[in-house]
């Protein structure tokens, strides 16, 4: 029998876009940003923008508007985008082709002053330092991520599908010698209609309207969970101040973003800091378990910091309102690790707050902390320096603690004044930028084990941080201090997992297979880096889950209990108390050599998840100036497709012929129906028959 195959009419007409990533709509207390299409999608004739001068064809001269503009990343600039935005009546949408390598000149769609209105530097704290008056932290920031666009925007990889789209343009739409292209023309349709409009207060009010049996939610708050662990167990049922407890907070942020929704590699802005802190926590495990220092170290990995410090402001709020096992009076000091990718440099900068240091007792503790850091760097290749005393803190979670009260603390960064990160909060802040290069012809497993230069540098940073934390917590054993060293093999594995390929054997060994399968399909799947966008509160983001399990494996201990007891958070069937102090995680472990059978075990640790939802949503203060109010619009469909479109005249002719045929058919049907008794009558039977 011959095989029979068929194609739907749709597949013969349309070519669907693969790997397309949209720009979506976000909202806050005052306005909306991002992109959207109309409800039925936006359609436009394809135009490949070859230079900024070529914009006139789209905005003025082209005879076939609206246009769907395809541009390479070199033309994805503020100048071009603002011209397209102002001429949006002739623009149906924009497609940006992501390059295979980073632009040498740098690119940041963020603002020049990140989190300008949510940090500590305000008119009331110190007017001279407010609004980045002293230092523009992100000088390359063009603010594109914080504009609103009335048309859809997508990002496409520079691959064969994209080349086919461009070829469709050159075959059908390309202007030759100034003459208009002839029909049929190549067109594109993009769907990315967003449900929420105006601002967060409006969309949250609409969420609460229940006029139907199936009320529709139009937006969701941005947020997730902070990941916390402590060197001394904390009882999470006992909230509020702990007498005699003194805590050093070691902090890093977990999230990043870019202009497009699902691309947030965050190599320098997020991963360099939290990987360093994970490595430092691992280096401190033996030292803090063998002999507990006087003070507790609280490791805090904050989520949502990109969007007005969601995670850190929530922890400060919880501490202030007795919703956490500690309060702010228990906080001795804060050490935050920011952007610490070194890029071949051998210098780190220790930033402090000049305003709180006017208090002599705070200044004294800050100076002690800086001395601890400097002594921890002895005999290492890195040096630490302080910026000008009058310079404020860079954007950092520590600022939210300072908003509550003057707490001693430092923020460790790789820059003196402005960011050295040329790709802050962009799709180019990736493994390539962090100098994670591998020799050719290595297998993925060999790449996982290969110690890169970036890993070696961050290992030294982690060693300095770990030793300083040990001293800051009151540790005084010189032998123990000397033995605190970060593991470069572990650092390189973490960098590979977060920035190159999350689906790898080391990550898998740190989880339980049933847990992996129960998560969304993107968790530890595919040959791709981790997406560090915080997402919405309805689901855990991938970095939160990864860091939760890795931190447990790196700081916890193996306990010999059954899988059932482990997954029920207890040492045995009669244990009712341990779950309030420890967390238990069943992990599948690594497969022994020459075997496919993994050896699973239970890890007991102090790792906890703490809500990273802005207090504004609990308080229903959707116009708050004190807390983040960012929400993400919901949508029903994100897709794109290309097809050939006929001329308007031919479409009208086709429509006219169709209408004429319809009218003729109706008239013919009427005539036939009215004459049916004549046209379809048969010979009559005689009325009477003779037999």
């Amino acid at each position: 029998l011959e095989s029979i195959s068929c194609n739907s009419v749709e597949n013969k007409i349309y070519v669907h876009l693969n790997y397309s990533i949209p720009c979506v709509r976000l909202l806050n207390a005052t306005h909306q940003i991002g992109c959207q299409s109309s409800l039925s999608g936006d359609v436009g004739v394809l135009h490949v923008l070859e230079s900024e001068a070529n914009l006139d064809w789209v905005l003025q001269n082209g005879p076939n508007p609206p246009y769907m503009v395809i541009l390479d990343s070199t033309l994805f600039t503020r100048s071009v985008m603002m011209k397209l935005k102002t001429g949006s009546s002739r623009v149906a949408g924009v497609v940006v082709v992501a390059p295979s390598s980073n632009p040498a000149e740098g690119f940041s769609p963020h603002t020049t002053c990140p989190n300008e209105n949510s940090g500590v530097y305000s008119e009331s704290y110190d007017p001279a330092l407010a609004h980045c008056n002293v230092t523009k932290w992100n000088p390359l920031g063009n603010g594109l991520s914080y504009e609103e666009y009335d048309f859809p925007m997508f990002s496409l990889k520079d691959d064969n599908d994209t080349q086919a789209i461009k070829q469709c343009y050159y075959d059908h739409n390309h202007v030759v010698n100034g003459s208009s292209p002839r029909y049929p023309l190549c067109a594109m349709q993009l769907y990315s209609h967003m449900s929420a409009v105006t601002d967060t207060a409006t969309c949250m009010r609409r969420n609460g309207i229940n006029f139907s049996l199936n009320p529709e939610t139009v937006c969701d708050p941005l947020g997730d969970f902070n990941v916390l662990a402590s060197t001394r167990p904390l009882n999470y049922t006992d909230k509020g101040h702990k007498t005699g407890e003194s805590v050093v907070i070691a902090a890093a942020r977990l999230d990043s973003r870019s202009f497009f929704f699902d691309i947030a590699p965050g190599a320098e802005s997020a991963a360099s800091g939290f990987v360093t802190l994970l490595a430092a926590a691992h280096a401190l495990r033996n030292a803090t378990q063998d002999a507990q220092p006087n003070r507790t170290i609280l490791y805090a990995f904050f989520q949502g910091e990109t969007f007005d410090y969601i995670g850190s402001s929530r922890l400060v709020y919880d501490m202030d309102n007795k919703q956490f096992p500690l309060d702010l009076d228990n906080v001795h000091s804060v050490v935050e690790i920011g952007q610490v990718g070194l890029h071949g440099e051998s210098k780190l900068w220790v930033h402090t707050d000049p305003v709180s240091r006017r208090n002599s007792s705070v200044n004294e503790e800050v100076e002690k902390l800086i001395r601890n850091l400097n002594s921890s760097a002895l005999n290492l290749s890195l040096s630490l320096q302080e910026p000008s005393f009058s310079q404020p803190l860079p954007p950092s979670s520590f600022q939210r603690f300072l908003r509550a009260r003057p707490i001693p603390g430092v923020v460790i960064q790789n820059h003196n004044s402005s960011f050295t990160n040329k790709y802050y909060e962009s799709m180019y802040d990736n493994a390539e930028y962090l100098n994670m290069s591998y020799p050719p012809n290595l297998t993925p497993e060999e790449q996982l084990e290969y110690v890169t230069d970036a890993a070696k540098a961050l290992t030294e940073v982690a060693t300095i941080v770990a030793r300083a934390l040990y001293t800051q917590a009151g540790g005084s054993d010189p032998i123990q201090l000397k033995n605190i060293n970060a593991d470069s093999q572990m650092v390189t594995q973490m960098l590979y997992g977060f920035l190159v390929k999350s689906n790898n054997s080391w990550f898998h060994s740190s989880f339980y297979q049933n847990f992996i399968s129960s998560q969304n399909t993107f968790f530890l799947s595919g040959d791709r880096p981790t997406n560090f966008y915080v997402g919405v509160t309805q689901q855990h983001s991938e970095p939160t889950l990864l860091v939760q399990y890795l931190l447990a494996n790196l700081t916890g201990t193996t306990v010999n209990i059954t899988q059932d007891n482990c997954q029920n958070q207890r040492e045995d069937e009669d244990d009712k108390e341990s779950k309030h102090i420890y967390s238990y995680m069943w992990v599948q472990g690594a497969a022994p050599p020459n075997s496919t059978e993994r050896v699973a075990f239970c890890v007991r640790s102090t790792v906890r998840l703490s809500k990273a939802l802005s207090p504004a949503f609990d308080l229903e203060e959707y116009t708050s100036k004190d807390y983040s109010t960012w929400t993400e619009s919901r949508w029903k469909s994100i897709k794109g497709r290309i097809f050939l479109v006929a001329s308007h005249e031919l479409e009208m002719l086709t429509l006219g012929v169709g209408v004429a045929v319809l009218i003729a058919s109706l008239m013919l049907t009427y005539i036939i129906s009215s004459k049916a008794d004549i046209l379809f009558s048969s010979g009559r039977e005689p009325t009477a028959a003779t037999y």
Side-chain angles (χ1 to χ4, degrees):
L1 292 175
E2 294 184 4
S3 62
I4 299 174
S5 63
C6 63
N7 288 319
S8 69
V9 174
E10 183 189 23
N11 289 339
K12 292 182 178 180
I13 297 174
Y14 300 106
V15 176
H16 292 271
L17 305 183
N18 297 318
Y19 311 114
S20 56
I21 298 172
C23 155
V24 302
R25 173 171 287 168
L26 301 176
L27 309 96
N28 67 7
T30 57
H31 61 291
Q32 60 189 22
I33 61 173
C35 324
Q36 79 152 355
S37 73
S38 60
L39 186 59
S40 57
D42 289 338
V43 179
V45 173
L46 277 182
H47 182 78
V48 175
L49 193 67
E50 296 170 338
S51 68
E52 188 167 348
N54 190 226
L55 275 172
D56 287 344
W57 182 266
V58 175
L59 300 177
Q60 296 176 10
N61 304 330
N64 309 114
Y67 287 97
M68 194 67 70
V69 181
I70 297 182
L71 51 86
D72 288 326
S73 60
T74 52
L75 291 170
F76 186 40
T77 63
R78 184 170 183 86
S79 173
V80 170
M81 290 308 304
M82 290 304 100
K83 290 176 182 177
L84 291 173
K85 179 179 175 179
T86 55
S88 58
S89 62
R90 289 177 58 93
V91 179
V94 173
V95 174
V96 179
V97 180
S100 54
S101 60
N102 292 352
E105 65 277 10
F107 175 82
S108 173
H110 210 280
T111 60
T112 58
C113 188
N115 289 350
E116 178 177 354
N117 299 310
S118 52
V120 69
Y121 298 111
S122 61
E123 301 296 336
S124 59
Y125 192 71
D126 190 327
L129 303 180
H131 310 296
C132 296
N133 287 335
V134 175
T135 306
K136 291 294 181 190
W137 294 109
N138 186 34
L140 291 176
N142 57 35
L144 285 177
S145 290
Y146 290 85
E147 295 285 344
E148 180 190 357
Y149 305 91
D150 295 328
F151 45 76
M153 292 184 65
F154 279 60
S155 173
L156 293 178
K157 290 182 179 179
D158 190 5
D159 56 14
N160 292 337
D161 288 343
T162 304
Q163 293 307 314
I165 293 170
K166 289 185 175 181
Q167 192 59 49
C168 183
Y169 163 79
Y170 287 114
D171 290 345
H172 297 277
N173 301 12
H174 191 46
V175 177
V176 180
N177 299 324
S179 61
S180 298
R182 300 177 62 183
Y183 284 95
L185 298 177
C186 194
M188 179 181 285
Q189 185 174 28
L190 297 178
Y191 294 85
S192 62
H193 180 68
M194 300 287 135
S195 301
V197 294
T198 310
D199 53 37
T200 289
T202 302
C203 81
M204 293 301 289
R205 185 178 69 248
R206 291 179 178 175
N207 283 351
I209 298 175
N210 297 318
F211 287 151
S212 67
L213 294 176
N214 297 307
E216 182 180 5
T217 299
V218 297
C219 70
D220 300 290
L222 293 185
D224 191 9
F225 286 87
N226 299 322
V227 184
L228 308 173
S230 55
T231 53
R232 186 180 283 110
L234 300 173
N235 188 333
Y236 276 74
T237 61
D238 184 14
K239 312 287 187 181
H241 183 72
K242 296 291 183 297
T243 303
E245 185 76 74
S246 182
V247 174
V248 177
I249 295 178
R253 60 182 273 196
L254 280 181
D255 68 301
S256 181
R257 72 166 301 197
S258 78
F259 185 89
F260 295 101
F261 169 68
D262 207 26
I263 312 176
E268 172 112 318
S269 60
S272 67
F274 76 70
V275 165
T276 297
L277 185 54
L278 282 169
H282 176 251
L284 281 166
R285 176 169 63 179
N286 292 337
T288 54
Q289 288 179 353
D290 292 346
Q292 284 279 355
N294 298 333
R295 300 187 184 99
T296 300
I297 302 172
L298 178 67
Y299 305 112
F301 298 83
F302 293 123
Q303 264 289 12
E305 297 302 273
T306 302
F307 296 97
D308 295 330
Y309 305 119
I310 295 173
S312 55
S313 63
R314 181 60 194 230
L315 182 63
V316 171
Y317 175 84
D318 287 346
M319 284 183 166
D320 240 357
N321 290 275
K322 297 183 178 179
Q323 297 177 24
F324 191 75
L326 303 165
D327 68 6
L328 290 169
D329 289 332
N330 292 124
V331 179
H332 173 267
S333 51
V334 176
V335 177
E336 182 173 351
I337 299 94
Q339 302 180 96
V340 290
L342 291 172
H343 307 282
E345 298 291 326
S346 58
K347 190 184 298 181
L348 287 171
W349 296 86
V350 182
H351 296 261
T352 60
D353 172 44
V355 179
S356 61
R357 290 185 70 179
R358 294 169 190 164
N359 179 307
S360 58
S361 61
V362 171
N363 185 55
E364 184 180 342
E365 287 297 333
V366 171
E367 288 180 346
K368 284 181 184 177
L369 181 48
I370 294 172
R371 285 197 296 271
N372 288 341
L373 284 163
N374 282 318
S375 63
S376 300
L378 293 176
N379 303 320
L380 296 175
S381 62
L382 296 180
S383 64
L384 287 86
Q385 296 191 18
E386 292 181 71
S388 162
F389 189 85
S390 61
Q391 181 171 277
L393 285 169
S396 50
S397 306
F398 179 41
Q399 291 197 28
R400 293 301 302 196
F401 287 87
L402 288 174
R403 277 182 67 137
R405 63 188 61 191
I407 295 173
V410 299
V411 179
I412 303 171
Q413 301 270 15
N414 61 6
H415 56 87
N416 176 12
S417 54
S418 299
F419 295 162
T420 56
N421 187 351
K422 298 190 298 182
Y423 309 110
Y424 185 73
E425 308 291 32
S426 80
M427 67 175 82
Y428 309 118
D429 186 9
N430 53 23
E432 177 189 338
Y433 178 55
L434 211 57
N435 296 329
M436 286 179 58
S437 55
Y438 299 90
N441 305 319
L442 291 186
T443 65
E445 200 63 27
E446 289 169 338
Q447 287 183 338
L448 174 66
E449 302 297 330
Y450 180 80
V451 180
T452 62
D453 290 339
K456 292 175 184 175
L458 289 186
T459 301
E460 285 219 348
V461 180
T463 298
I464 292 172
V465 170
R467 291 176 179 178
L469 286 173
Y470 177 75
T471 308
Q472 187 70 7
S476 56
D477 185 339
I479 298 175
Q480 193 72 269
L481 182 65
K482 186 179 179 181
N483 290 333
I484 296 174
N485 292 289
D487 183 349
S488 60
Q489 190 73 47
M490 191 163 291
V491 172
T492 207
Q493 289 171 327
M494 286 192 285
L495 288 175
Y496 179 85
F498 284 113
L499 302 179
V500 179
K501 184 181 176 184
S502 58
N503 184 13
N504 64 75
S505 60
W506 191 67
F507 271 16
H508 276 277
S509 69
S510 301
F511 294 83
Y512 178 51
Q513 188 58 48
N514 286 3
F515 172 80
I516 296 172
S517 339
S518 67
Q519 302 307 308
N520 60 56
T521 55
F522 296 108
F523 187 66
L524 295 188
S525 63
D527 297 338
R528 59 173 190 83
T530 306
N531 174 27
F532 289 110
Y533 173 63
V534 60
V536 296
T537 53
Q538 275 68 20
Q539 58 189 28
H540 294 336
S541 67
E542 188 176 1
T544 297
L545 296 170
L546 287 170
V547 169
Q548 177 193 7
Y549 267 75
L550 288 175
L551 186 59
N553 278 273
L554 298 179
T555 62
T557 55
T558 303
V559 288
N560 185 23
I561 59 176
T562 65
Q563 180 177 348
D564 182 62
N565 284 333
C566 185
Q567 292 176 330
N568 282 289
Q569 303 295 303
R570 63 194 184 194
E571 299 275 340
D572 54 48
E573 285 77 1
D574 299 323
D575 182 10
K576 307 294 184 186
E577 298 301 322
S578 293
K579 63 183 179 182
H580 302 310
I581 302 172
Y582 296 106
S583 66
Y584 296 81
M585 295 177 181
W586 188 258
V587 299
Q588 59 187 3
N594 304 319
S595 173
T596 56
E597 289 293 324
R598 295 179 179 269
V599 180
F601 54 91
C602 185
V603 174
R604 183 181 67 192
S605 71
T606 60
V607 173
R608 295 280 175 169
L609 294 181
S610 170
K611 189 159 61 170
L613 171 68
S614 170
F617 296 99
D618 285 347
L619 300 170
E620 298 186 1
E621 296 177 358
Y622 305 131
T623 58
S624 171
K625 294 182 179 179
D626 296 321
Y627 299 110
S628 171
T629 55
W630 285 104
T631 53
E632 176 188 285
S633 174
R634 288 197 177 186
W635 59 83
K636 287 187 170 64
S637 179
I638 298 286
K639 61 182 179 180
R641 57 189 184 180
I642 62 171
F643 53 93
L644 294 180
V645 62
S647 68
H648 185 68
E649 291 78 10
L650 180 57
E651 289 176 336
M652 291 298 101
L653 177 61
T654 304
L655 177 62
V657 171
V659 171
V661 169
L662 174 63
I663 293 172
S665 300
L666 291 173
M667 292 177 64
L668 184 60
T669 302
Y670 173 76
I671 293 169
I672 292 173
S673 177
S674 63
K675 305 294 183 181
D677 56 336
I678 299 172
L679 294 173
F680 302 109
S681 63
S682 57
R684 293 193 174 188
E685 294 279 337
T687 56
T690 304
Y691 296 98

